[in-house]
Amino acid sequence: MWCTSVLWRDFGKIRTIAIHADAGGLGLGSRMLSELVDRAHALGLDRLCCLTFETRFFAKHGFREVEERIIDDATFHEILRLPDMGVHDFLELPYLKPNTLGNTRMIRELHEAA
């Protein structure tokens, strides 16, 4: 199973990549992620982000951990108006509860080689 969504005109979020535990090591997750990246390119997105515990997996595919705000101020203020709390969660907006799950924010610039 996999799912992604467009958060902004050039920015998408991978929401889910999941495989059955018995299928681990077969490359299915990598193929799903590759398909999502291809779809993001086809949509004209420049960046993909995710919140994940699987940092090694995503790093292997060109994602990097981020601490800083990754969008400009104008876009940030536009996104504040969106009802999608997943967007707000990824941006770690101050009115949200802290990241108690401990997952990591990661991003991939699609115009760079991964």
Side-chain angles (χ1 to χ4, degrees), residues 9-10 13 19 21-22 25-26 29 32 50 54 58 60 65-66 73 75 83 90 92 96 100 103 106 109 111-112:
R9 62 183 150 259
D10 68 340
K13 179 179 180 186
I19 60 169
D22 293 343
L26 299 176
M32 284 188 272
C50 64
E54 301 297 334
F58 281 95
K60 182 174 82 171
E65 293 184 27
V66 290
D73 285 341
T75 303
F90 181 79
E92 293 186 344
L96 293 174
T100 56
N103 50 8
M106 298 186 81
E109 304 290 336
H111 57 272
E112 296 176 356

Side-chain angles (χ1 to χ4, degrees), residues 63-76:
F63 285 76
R64 65 176 174 85
E65 293 184 27
V66 290
E67 296 291 329
E68 74 276 8
R69 186 190 299 175
I70 55 175
I71 56 174
D72 60 75
D73 285 341
T75 303
F76 180 81

Side-chain angles (χ1 to χ4, degrees), residues 8-9 72-82 88:
W8 200 244
R9 62 183 150 259
D72 60 75
D73 285 341
T75 303
F76 180 81
H77 291 291
E78 287 293 321
I79 287 176
L80 289 177
R81 294 190 244 170
L82 296 176
H88 297 191

Side-chain angles (χ1 to χ4, degrees), residues 12-75:
K13 179 179 180 186
I14 295 173
R15 295 195 178 271
T16 307
I17 294 179
I19 60 169
H20 191 278
D22 293 343
L26 299 176
L28 297 175
S30 293
R31 289 198 310 242
M32 284 188 272
L33 183 54
S34 178
E35 175 67 24
L36 291 173
V37 170
D38 290 347
R39 289 180 185 187
H41 277 291
L43 290 170
L45 301 180
D46 294 328
R47 299 172 291 174
L48 275 177
C49 68
C50 64
L51 286 169
T52 186
F53 295 106
E54 301 297 334
T55 55
R56 286 186 292 174
F57 171 78
F58 281 95
K60 182 174 82 171
H61 295 283
F63 285 76
R64 65 176 174 85
E65 293 184 27
V66 290
E67 296 291 329
E68 74 276 8
R69 186 190 299 175
I70 55 175
I71 56 174
D72 60 75
D73 285 341
T75 303

